[in-house]
Amino acid sequence: MSTGETMSWWVSASALYVMLAVILFSLLNYFKGYSLCRWLSAVQQFSTTKPAVKLEEVKKQLFVGLGREVSHDPLLRERGAIRILEIGVGTGSNFTYYPPDTHLVVVDPNPNFARYYHANRDRFSHIHCEKLITSTGERMDMIPDNSVDVVVMTLVLCTIDDPCKILQQIIRVLVKGGKFYFFEHIREFDSERHRLRQKLQDLLTTSGLAPYFLEGCCLNKDMLPAIGAAGFSKVRAERFYAPIDSFVYQLVKPCLRGIAEK
């Protein structure tokens, strides 16, 4: 490829990404003024789109091990049940992957989640919800030490200013041998092949545009170093590209998934 062709390709690619950013932020600014009910409706409609369905398949593969977890609680263990703490549940999209008779503790800053959960209880009949706590993962001191078998957190760490603090809370509440299941979008990890995406992630985050329009979300975080240094006894993780080809999702295509054990 000649220098002129290379420059032409770069300009075209840059223009497409810039156009994507403008359209995305315009839409998000529009939705930002919605009431919570309309926002949840928009999220639920979004979750039925083909790209999101593909992401759900990725999560399904991650959560397949939940059915093999054994509870530290003798009563739950006798019933073949486990206790799961989920931080940042959104609309409960992960609940479908939880094993039967899951005892669930929810920590979410959205004060309206309890209303949403009770209105949709029939969808989650395999779950026994023990607690619905309106708080953040950094401030869940009300959950006792060594009290949950599994912690689940997906697409949350990108919004956390101090990941070390929330990771220490996760380690505190997990029983010895308990598991932390995580799935996050991250900063582009192949700067040679996808430098433009990396630069755009940095620009949109450091400029404050992404955090403002995406409820605190930072596009250029990589959580694996923090998870690895948090003090877990084992960490199994993988950086990968989400199986979505849609142009709209290219900035969040680099992802991280894994399981850490206390």
Side-chain angles (χ1 to χ4, degrees):
M1 183 180 291
S2 67
T3 302
E5 290 174 329
T6 301
M7 180 61 71
S8 177
W9 174 88
W10 188 88
V11 170
S12 298
S14 299
L16 286 172
Y17 274 113
V18 170
M19 184 170 60
L20 163 66
V22 171
I23 293 172
L24 178 62
F25 288 136
S26 297
L27 287 172
L28 287 170
N29 195 40
Y30 174 72
F31 280 121
K32 199 173 179 72
Y34 268 28
S35 67
L36 176 70
C37 291
R38 293 180 71 184
W39 172 250
L40 286 178
S41 176
V43 170
Q44 288 171 328
Q45 289 177 8
F46 163 81
S47 68
T48 63
T49 63
K50 188 175 180 180
V53 168
K54 289 185 176 181
L55 282 181
E56 290 302 311
E57 284 299 315
V58 172
K59 289 200 291 183
K60 183 178 181 180
Q61 295 170 17
L62 172 65
F63 292 138
V64 70
L66 287 175
R68 297 190 293 269
E69 301 293 349
V70 178
S71 180
H72 76 294
D73 184 316
L75 294 178
L76 293 183
R77 186 168 61 245
E78 184 177 343
R79 295 167 52 182
I82 59 173
R83 179 172 291 112
I84 295 177
L85 162 66
E86 183 169 354
I87 303 171
V89 296
T91 57
S93 63
N94 293 330
F95 293 176
T96 187
Y97 307 119
Y98 293 171
D101 201 22
T102 288
H103 285 237
L104 180 66
V105 179
V106 167
V107 171
D108 196 294
N110 182 356
N112 295 279
F113 176 75
R115 184 190 312 164
Y116 170 80
Y117 174 82
H118 291 302
N120 293 272
R121 185 183 292 274
D122 290 344
R123 291 176 52 202
F124 315 129
S125 59
H126 63 297
I127 291 175
H128 171 69
C129 192
E130 294 184 342
K131 296 179 182 177
L132 293 171
I133 300 170
T134 303
S135 184
T136 63
E138 303 97 313
R139 298 180 178 180
M140 55 182 190
D141 300 315
M142 66 291 293
I143 299 178
D145 297 357
N146 308 304
S147 61
V148 298
D149 304 303
V150 171
V151 174
V152 169
M153 189 161 59
T154 61
L155 303 177
V156 171
L157 278 174
C158 60
T159 67
I160 304 300
D161 293 329
D162 186 359
C164 294
K165 188 171 182 180
I166 194 170
L167 289 169
Q168 288 306 309
Q169 285 276 25
I170 289 171
I171 290 175
R172 179 185 65 80
V173 301
L174 277 172
V175 299
K176 184 175 177 57
K179 306 286 181 57
F180 169 41
Y181 285 70
F182 55 91
F183 169 59
E184 302 286 341
H185 68 80
I186 60 173
R187 187 174 189 256
E188 174 56 57
F189 48 85
D190 188 343
S191 58
E192 291 187 5
R193 295 180 59 192
H194 301 292
R195 181 176 295 275
L196 178 59
R197 175 158 50 207
Q198 194 177 74
K199 294 297 184 183
L200 282 169
Q201 288 175 327
D202 290 342
L203 174 63
L204 294 173
T205 300
T206 56
S207 67
L209 288 173
Y212 176 76
F213 285 106
L214 299 174
E215 303 297 332
C217 175
C218 295
L219 299 172
N220 65 347
K221 287 188 175 183
D222 184 354
M223 302 77 176
L224 186 54
I227 294 172
F232 292 99
S233 64
K234 299 177 185 176
V235 176
R236 292 183 286 114
E238 173 193 16
R239 293 186 181 99
F240 69 103
Y241 291 109
I244 48 178
D245 299 321
S246 174
F247 178 74
V248 176
Y249 298 90
Q250 293 307 298
L251 288 178
V252 293
K253 189 165 184 173
C255 290
L256 172 72
R257 63 183 169 191
I259 304 171
E261 181 176 335
K262 179 175 176 179

